[in-house]
Amino acid sequence: MTTDASAPWLIVGLGNPGPEYAGNRHNVGFMVADLLAERIGGKFKRAQKAQAQVVEGRIGPPGPGNRRVILAKPMSYMNLSGGPVTALRDFYKVPTAHVVAVHDELDIDFGMLRLKLGGGDNGHNGLKSMTRAVGPDYHRVRFGIGRPPGRMQVADYVLKDFSSAERKELGYFVDRAADAAECLVIEGLERAQSVYNS
C-alpha cells in the first residue's frame, strides 16, 4: 500500500485525562506528546471534531523533509481512545499508516524504546481500542515501564506514578521517545528503529 508522502501525520499520546493521572506510568504517552508540542511551539487546545486535545504544526528541517503533524491527546480515558483517534484521522485525512501511538509497554524495561508498525495490543487497553477503531496497521512508539514488582496487579501498577528513582531519569527517556517519534515521521521506520530500538 503506498501512502501519499505529503499526507499529514497524527501522533497520538495515550493516557488518561485529569491531574490525578498526570504522573502515572500509563500517561507516558501524554508526557511525550506534551514535549513534542513544546518543541513545535504549540499549545494543546480542544479539538472541534473529537474528544481530544490537539496541536497542529510541522516538524523536521525546512524543505522536503518537513512534515505536517497533528499531535493529539485523547480525552476519553485510555480504554476509549479509538473513538477520538478515528474522528481525528477522518477529519485531518490521515492515512492509517501515518498514525503513531506513543504508549507505555510492560514487556520492555523502564526507559527502553521499541518502534514498530502493526502488531497486537499485548493487553494494552488504549491499543485495543485503537485497533478496534482503525485496524492494527498504525505505528507504535513503545516506551518501556517494566513489569510490576512482586504480586502487584498490572492495573494498579500502570496507574501509579513513576518511582522516585525512575523520575530521576524520566525526563531523559521522554526526550528520547520524542526524538524517536520525530525520526519515525521524518526519516521512516527503519531508520528510527536502527537508532532508537534498544
Side-chain angles (χ1 to χ4, degrees):
M1 181 189 78
T2 58
T3 301
D4 177 6
S6 66
W9 286 76
L10 174 61
I11 301 177
V12 182
L14 291 178
N16 286 308
E20 68 273 33
Y21 298 107
N24 289 181
R25 292 183 177 93
H26 225 17
N27 267 44
V28 76
F30 274 20
M31 296 173 197
V32 175
D34 285 337
L35 178 57
L36 286 167
E38 206 178 289
R39 287 182 180 184
I40 65 174
K43 286 216 181 319
F44 277 100
K45 56 182 191 298
R46 237 179 71 204
Q48 291 180 329
K49 304 287 180 187
Q51 195 181 354
Q53 290 187 347
V54 294
V55 175
E56 294 179 57
R58 302 192 80 85
I59 59 174
N66 199 268
R67 301 282 182 265
R68 181 175 169 228
V69 293
I70 297 96
L71 305 173
K73 297 192 295 187
M75 292 286 118
S76 56
Y77 291 97
M78 183 67 88
N79 57 356
L80 298 171
S81 302
V85 172
T86 305
L88 292 169
R89 181 197 64 172
D90 294 349
F91 178 70
Y92 288 104
K93 300 182 171 46
V94 178
T96 303
H98 278 201
V99 175
V100 182
V102 183
H103 64 92
D104 56 303
E105 177 63 62
L106 287 160
D107 284 340
I108 304 172
D109 290 342
F110 169 68
M112 300 293 101
L113 296 175
R114 295 267 200 296
L115 286 79
K116 69 174 190 171
L117 173 62
D121 56 56
N122 204 19
H124 191 290
N125 288 330
L127 294 181
K128 205 173 282 184
S129 177
M130 274 186 66
T131 298
R132 258 200 313 267
V134 302
D137 299 324
Y138 54 91
H139 288 88
R140 297 105 193 272
V141 175
R142 303 156 73 208
F143 187 110
I145 59 167
R147 283 258 157 208
R151 294 168 178 264
M152 188 189 288
Q153 294 294 312
V154 164
D156 295 332
Y157 177 70
V158 298
L159 293 176
K160 277 200 169 17
D161 285 2
F162 285 98
S163 69
S164 55
E166 288 169 338
R167 282 199 296 273
K168 290 192 176 90
E169 298 181 291
L170 185 60
Y172 168 77
F173 289 131
V174 167
D175 197 60
R176 200 161 178 271
D179 290 347
E182 288 184 346
C183 183
L184 166 63
V185 167
I186 297 162
E187 299 187 60
L189 179 62
E190 274 183 41
R191 171 71 181 150
Q193 286 174 325
S194 73
V195 176
Y196 295 100
N197 273 16
S198 39

